[in-house]
Amino acid sequence: MITLTKAARLRGELTVPGDKSVSHRSVMFGSIARGTTEITGFLQGADCLSTIGCFSAMGVEIENDGGRVIVHGRGLRGLRQPDRVLDCGNSGTTTRLISGILSGQNFCVTLTGDASIQKRPMKRIITPLRMMGADIVSINDNDCAPLRIQGKPLQGIHYQSPVASAQVKSALLLAGLYAEGETQVTEPALSRNHTELMLRYFGAEVDSRDATASIRPADELYGRKIHVPGDISSAAYFIAAGLLVPDAQLLIRNVGINPTRDGILRVCRMMGADLTLLNESHDSAEPVADLLVRSSSLKGCTIEGALIPTLIDELPVIAVMACFARGETLIRDAAELKVKESNRIRVMTENLTAMGADVTETDDGMIIRGGRPLHGASVPCHMDHRIAMSFAVAALAAEGETVIQDSECVNISYPGFFEELEKIR
Ligand code: S3P
């Protein structure tokens, strides 16, 4: 555990680690592409290392020197049956996306993960993958991992997804690479589109229109060079810290600002934050910018509807920001938060309340009445990396000492997070 105290000022420049979603996809797509994929800026977090472990176990040679990752792709039909159970660790992205790929192979695999993964809902991919002809079963018959997948010939489907989930969409698009005919996924609101952008970059025929993505079966994908942008979900903690600490100015370099991920920036604007985008450019298939953040006096706002999927992972830290804003912040349409690494609505409400905030849990979000001063507390993070980092930010703006329990879980997406925070104090 880690103990943090209030910060009087924050100053400096930093570069956050590579985007988690893009890092996973670069290894997955590189593995099933022909030729070499060279990845710089890869996130060396536990989740993305789980993805490397799974594809290595299926015969893909992956060199990782801690900086650059080189994937020697085996082509669309070159994966080998692993001689062990695939371990997806804590990673929902690994579990769900790999299931789409495995459904179209000609071998049988069992995959599982840690205690948290074995509780996360997999029915959302099992149902549509079965509609495509996949043979996929939840071994304990509880719609969770471990999953057994026997590769089968697949047919494309047009699927109306009940959830806006990039993991569901991506699982189906990846299965669609191996299917007969077109596969189409329509979501209630557009979720992150890294799969669509990167598969197109690798040579697949992918079409995107509003909240519908479609893919044609491919003969091959082709390895590419990828520079992974900084993760906006990791930058979010420093954006929030820069806004909340009184004498603060932070420059966060090279952050991915894909419009399907930039909801936090839109919320910052709604809340009246002093946040400027500099040096906007394009890197591989993704837009990036530097973010300049200064201390701000925030006001509450309503966060709902199509905005939710664009900031789903940032809602915990947005809830922290809302505690320091004038007036009420309403978060709704965010029931998905209940099935993340923890029940993030419950855990945020409990921990913020323990720090003195005025927060009400609702069925699909939270109501936060800002302006009450927060005080330190000892907060359990339920091994959820985004909870741990959100409370590190709350600690910087709260009176007294805050103890972040199970703080080591930040390694899932941000190894070195606490060291980076120390550097700018
Ligand atoms: C991710 C999609 C989101 C997000 C997760 C990463 C991805 O999950 O919360 O951290 O890389 O596709 P859902 O697709 O379940 O919303």
Side-chain angles (χ1 to χ4, degrees):
M1 62 187 181
I2 270 196
T3 303
L4 293 168
T5 53
K6 192 167 182 169
R9 75 195 287 270
L10 291 180
R11 285 285 145 134
E13 266 185 49
L14 64 144
T15 309
V16 292
D19 187 276
K20 182 155 81 68
S21 297
V22 174
S23 296
H24 279 298
R25 286 158 174 79
S26 62
V27 166
M28 291 185 183
F29 305 173
S31 294
I32 56 170
R34 184 180 279 180
T36 306
T37 291
E38 193 182 312
I39 311 161
T40 48
F42 182 82
L43 169 62
Q44 301 283 344
D47 267 13
C48 298
L49 298 178
S50 295
T51 291
I52 289 188
C54 289
F55 283 90
S56 302
M58 290 191 286
V60 184
E61 189 194 335
I62 303 173
E63 299 170 56
N64 180 6
D65 67 7
R68 213 166 39 142
V69 173
I70 300 174
V71 183
H72 299 275
R74 294 184 57 90
L76 211 52
R77 287 163 185 86
L79 296 179
R80 282 204 300 256
Q81 179 166 31
D83 55 12
R84 56 187 127 114
V85 169
L86 293 183
D87 181 4
C88 302
N90 189 246
S91 174
T93 309
T94 310
T95 311
R96 297 198 179 107
L97 270 62
I98 215 172
S99 296
I101 295 174
L102 296 175
S103 294
Q105 305 304 311
N106 56 6
F107 51 77
C108 184
V109 183
T110 301
L111 61 151
T112 192
D114 67 10
S116 148
I117 268 299
Q118 294 186 36
K119 284 194 213 116
R120 297 189 60 193
M122 293 298 153
K123 193 171 179 173
R124 52 182 58 200
I125 55 157
I126 294 175
T127 300
L129 286 172
R130 280 190 184 152
M131 288 163 69
M132 295 181 76
D135 180 352
I136 169 167
V137 290
S138 160
I139 290 176
N140 299 328
D141 204 18
N142 59 357
D143 291 324
C144 296
L147 302 175
R148 190 175 48 241
I149 304 177
Q150 167 66 59
K152 281 278 159 71
L154 304 175
Q155 306 90 48
I157 55 167
H158 288 193
Y159 187 62
Q160 193 84 39
S161 178
V163 279
S165 160
Q167 295 180 356
V168 172
K169 171 174 65 179
S170 302
L172 300 190
L173 294 177
L174 287 166
L177 285 171
Y178 297 91
E180 206 180 287
E182 187 193 60
T183 299
Q184 193 174 79
V185 187
T186 299
E187 306 182 88
L190 181 63
S191 66
R192 64 191 68 192
N193 65 356
H194 306 299
T195 295
E196 296 92 303
L197 295 181
M198 201 189 289
L199 279 178
R200 212 174 285 139
Y201 186 59
F202 274 70
E205 269 185 73
V206 183
D207 195 47
S208 309
R209 217 158 285 167
D210 304 321
T212 298
S214 23
I215 194 164
R216 307 276 320 158
D219 290 327
E220 281 297 353
L221 303 179
Y222 297 93
R224 300 294 305 260
K225 277 198 165 122
I226 292 185
H227 185 72
V228 181
D231 198 328
I232 192 166
S233 299
S234 297
Y237 306 103
F238 291 96
I239 296 174
L243 296 175
L244 298 184
V245 170
D247 177 17
Q249 176 166 315
L250 296 176
L251 182 64
I252 315 168
R253 292 210 182 271
N254 189 45
V255 180
I257 52 159
N258 179 316
T260 63
R261 291 285 300 284
D262 72 350
I264 173 95
L265 304 182
R266 285 182 268 162
V267 165
C268 283
R269 275 176 218 122
M270 289 197 280
M271 296 182 96
D274 184 351
L275 172 69
T276 314
L277 268 61
L278 304 166
N279 302 319
E280 286 184 55
S281 64
H282 253 82
D283 215 340
S284 303
E286 297 281 345
V288 293
D290 298 337
L291 308 180
L292 179 64
V293 193
R294 294 194 188 91
S295 327
S296 302
S297 154
L298 302 178
K299 58 175 190 283
C301 66
T302 297
I303 305 165
E304 62 186 347
L307 191 54
I308 294 292
T310 70
L311 45 64
I312 190 72
D313 292 340
E314 290 66 75
L315 284 168
V317 78
I318 289 172
V320 173
M321 284 161 55
C323 292
F324 295 93
R326 263 172 293 122
E328 191 174 277
T329 295
L330 179 60
I331 299 171
R332 61 175 170 223
D333 305 323
E336 276 293 297
L337 285 181
K338 296 196 259 190
V339 291
K340 294 294 177 188
E341 286 84 331
S342 68
N343 176 343
R344 289 181 176 160
I345 297 181
R346 170 84 28 95
V347 175
M348 286 308 297
T349 305
E350 284 174 0
N351 287 352
L352 286 173
T353 305
M355 293 182 77
D358 183 355
V359 186
T360 307
E361 173 181 352
T362 67
D363 205 37
D364 65 349
M366 280 170 264
I367 304 164
I368 301 154
R369 285 160 291 269
R372 274 209 207 168
L374 297 199
H375 53 76
S378 178
V379 290
C381 298
H382 302 265
M383 290 305 286
D384 183 336
H385 53 132
R386 303 217 184 275
I387 299 291
M389 291 186 274
S390 297
F391 282 94
V393 173
L396 299 181
E399 290 303 329
E401 279 187 357
T402 301
V403 177
I404 316 286
Q405 299 173 27
D406 39 273
S407 56
E408 75 282 0
C409 63
V410 302
N411 290 330
I412 291 292
S413 65
Y414 201 148
F417 171 76
F418 290 107
E419 290 79 358
E420 195 69 57
L421 205 55
E422 267 317 297
K423 274 195 226 150
I424 54 167
R425 282 189 82 143

